[in-house]
Amino acid sequence: MERERSGSERRGHRAAAPRPVVEHPVEALQRLAGNRVAAALLSVQRDGPRAATGSEQRTFVELLVRFFDGAADFYRTREMVQAVPALPAMPHPTPEANLAEIARVLAAWKPTYDNGRRMITDSLQGDAALTEQLRGSYERALSALHGLARNGPRVNVVLVAAPGRDDDQFIRNAAAYARTYFGRPAVPGDTVVVVEGVDSLDGLLSAVESAQTERMVRRVDVFAHGTIEPSNQLKLAGRWHSAAQLEAALSARRLTSEHLQSATRFDTGSTLEFHGCRLGAGEGERFLRAAGQAVGGDRGQQAVGYRQRWFPRRYQLDWRGHPVTDTGRDVYGDSALPIRFTRGSERQRVANRNRFVADFERHAVRLFDEVVAGSAELRSFATAREVADGTFSRARKIEIMRAMYDANGAWLLGFLHPAHQVPDMDPTQALPLDDYTFTREHAAWESQTLRIRVGP
């Protein structure tokens, strides 16, 4: 039975042939190479479900090495192709598409690598040379794959140590500080993963390894106690961990797929920063180097530690429960807080506002004199001449205190003594005053950082 012809065919026209899908030459080569490796892997077991011989299993692992090497070449080429302007007919994948592809490929590669390593351990007497070949090829492939996301949005990991006791005010302040100032990414498109209650080195490393594995890492910020006695150590859940223990943790994870996937997400644009006290002092270089390698391998990333550290506490003023977030509007403006929320005559509201301004200025001057004067932070708001002379008029003190307040919607006061409850009261009335570094920079209290570049 003859099929019914379309109108265009009856008029003597043929229907247009479907437009062929254009495959990128590099993708075609990788597909061909992948098919060949897959065929070779299948041929190892072509004789049915019998157990593979040692020779066949070695061949299997060697083919895996070749496969990962081919994948590394493929994705390095992809990164190079995406680095040049795209042709209109062949646009580059979006950053989101690259991240989705990386996630998809990682999910397929991870069990493949794990199976190959298990085969070496169980059936090939743990052949060290073959193990290193497989690890190296897999790491190269992962590095090339993550290269697709090198210039895309990244992940920031914030880790807060578990306290060793319930009343650990230092960790409580650190957690609040981390959530307040690190909870939002500084770079548009980036994401932030916050993990609190980290209680071991394994927990710390696992948190980094599991945080959005398709993305490159921009920062890892660790908030924990640190010490230099007897050597630089990190405190997690009341237990201290040395550089030697970090190196042991790295050694234990060196061959695992999770660690390799994590390490290849670090590069010269990645930073590992320890915010705990003293992790950059003394023999801090060894500690930071060990930590940088344990978390991110040798990828050129920076590891940063402080000779000393303090965590700022927000000191925000309010009027009857309404916070001051901008002094120009909430204190001095035509609709200041006492005017906005006070009933009564216009004269009464203005009188309330004037009293509010006077109270604010009196408090700002007292805070300047007793807390801020002589602080390192003052140098960012005063002129070099003013800092050198140490002479400020009352109006200038108020102007500086307003600028410091408006920069953060509050005054930030650094509280550094972990043994004391951080008071919410007026800091000029809190004791001991020396616990505040916003002010009284102790002679031995340094915020200098050590920047240790790990790797080449």
Side-chain angles (χ1 to χ4, degrees):
M1 181 177 179
E2 184 180 0
R3 68 177 175 84
E4 183 178 353
R5 293 181 296 172
S6 67
S8 60
E9 288 177 315
R10 287 194 298 270
R11 289 191 297 270
H13 300 288
R14 290 186 177 182
R19 185 175 180 179
V21 178
V22 178
E23 185 175 39
H24 196 286
V26 176
E27 294 176 346
L29 288 173
Q30 174 63 12
R31 178 175 53 79
L32 178 61
N35 288 343
R36 288 179 176 175
V37 172
L41 293 175
L42 291 173
S43 70
V44 171
Q45 297 184 349
R46 62 184 178 278
D47 295 331
R50 67 174 178 80
T53 66
S55 176
E56 289 173 335
Q57 292 186 41
R58 180 174 293 276
T59 299
F60 183 92
V61 176
E62 290 172 347
L63 288 169
L64 282 184
V65 172
R66 287 170 53 191
F67 173 76
F68 286 129
D69 281 340
D73 291 338
F74 170 63
Y75 283 108
R76 275 196 296 268
T77 304
R78 278 276 300 275
E79 184 182 3
M80 293 171 60
V81 169
Q82 293 186 21
V84 300
L87 298 174
M90 299 176 64
H92 294 326
T94 64
E96 293 75 17
N98 278 332
L99 292 177
E101 178 177 355
I102 293 170
R104 185 173 61 253
V105 173
L106 286 175
W109 281 2
K110 180 182 180 298
T112 303
Y113 169 78
D114 288 339
N115 288 337
R117 194 167 70 89
R118 190 179 304 111
M119 188 174 291
I120 297 173
T121 301
D122 296 344
S123 304
L124 301 176
Q125 294 76 49
D127 188 315
L130 192 57
T131 297
E132 187 59 29
Q133 289 178 32
L134 179 61
R135 186 207 63 79
S137 65
Y138 183 53
E139 186 174 30
R140 288 189 293 273
L142 289 171
S143 181
L145 176 65
H146 279 125
L148 297 182
R150 198 179 312 279
N151 298 318
R154 296 191 172 208
V155 64
N156 302 268
V157 187
V158 180
L159 307 177
V160 182
R165 61 181 189 274
D166 292 338
D167 62 343
D168 191 330
Q169 297 300 320
F170 181 90
I171 293 298
R172 186 174 299 177
N173 287 350
Y177 177 59
R179 286 193 298 267
T180 303
Y181 300 104
F182 289 77
R184 295 181 180 179
V187 178
D190 276 11
T191 56
V192 177
V193 175
V194 179
V195 180
E196 297 185 16
V198 178
D199 59 4
S200 65
L201 290 181
D202 278 343
L204 186 149
L205 297 177
S206 294
V208 176
E209 291 169 356
S210 62
Q212 300 184 353
T213 56
E214 71 277 10
R215 291 176 179 248
M216 294 290 286
V217 172
R218 190 175 306 281
R219 294 185 59 86
V220 176
D221 292 281
V222 182
F223 295 85
H225 286 286
T227 185
I228 58 172
E229 297 294 343
S231 62
N232 293 80
Q233 296 188 52
L234 177 73
K235 193 175 187 181
L236 304 172
R239 294 183 298 276
W240 293 99
H241 304 276
S242 65
Q245 290 171 313
L246 278 165
E247 290 163 347
L250 166 62
S251 178
R253 290 173 178 255
R254 180 174 176 273
L255 298 176
T256 62
S257 56
E258 292 87 351
H259 176 70
L260 290 173
Q261 286 186 3
S262 177
T264 55
R265 298 189 294 140
F266 285 75
D267 61 8
T268 55
S270 305
T271 298
L272 169 65
E273 186 163 338
F274 287 91
H275 297 267
C277 297
R278 304 185 175 210
L279 289 172
E283 297 180 357
E285 181 171 345
R286 184 194 171 192
F287 177 88
L288 294 175
R289 186 175 297 279
Q293 290 174 336
V295 173
D298 290 322
R299 296 283 162 183
Q301 71 274 18
Q302 288 185 332
V304 179
Y306 287 77
R307 295 186 185 278
Q308 201 58 280
R309 191 69 166 103
W310 55 274
F311 296 103
R313 176 69 179 255
R314 291 177 68 86
Y315 178 51
Q316 190 171 59
L317 305 177
D318 65 58
W319 185 84
R320 296 184 180 179
H322 302 287
V324 173
T325 58
D326 180 275
T327 61
R329 179 192 62 210
D330 297 331
V331 179
Y332 293 91
D334 294 334
S335 182
L337 290 175
I339 291 181
R340 265 183 280 167
F341 298 99
T342 300
R343 295 180 180 180
S345 66
E346 178 67 18
R347 178 180 178 182
Q348 182 63 45
R349 290 199 300 271
V350 171
N352 287 343
R353 195 274 304 276
N354 290 341
R355 280 196 298 271
F356 187 52
V357 170
D359 287 344
F360 170 80
E361 292 183 345
R362 184 166 52 251
H363 184 70
V365 170
R366 187 181 64 192
L367 193 63
F368 183 98
D369 291 339
E370 298 184 19
V371 178
V372 176
S375 71
E377 287 78 8
L378 178 61
R379 299 167 196 164
S380 300
F381 294 87
T383 66
R385 180 66 178 270
E386 287 174 328
V387 172
D389 292 346
T391 302
F392 299 86
S393 66
R394 186 177 189 276
R396 182 61 177 143
K397 292 176 183 179
I398 294 171
E399 182 181 8
I400 290 173
M401 293 304 292
R402 287 186 60 187
M404 298 180 88
Y405 194 101
D406 292 339
N408 298 284
W411 283 309
L412 301 185
L413 303 176
F415 191 82
L416 48 95
H417 199 302
H420 298 126
Q421 173 73 34
V422 179
D424 290 322
M425 68 176 92
D426 181 347
T428 62
Q429 304 301 314
L431 294 175
L433 280 174
D434 284 344
D435 283 348
Y436 285 101
T437 58
F438 189 69
T439 100
R440 321 188 174 270
E441 303 288 339
H442 192 275
W445 194 262
E446 300 178 14
S447 60
Q448 178 182 355
T449 64
L450 296 179
R451 296 187 178 274
I452 308 300
R453 184 170 293 280
V454 178

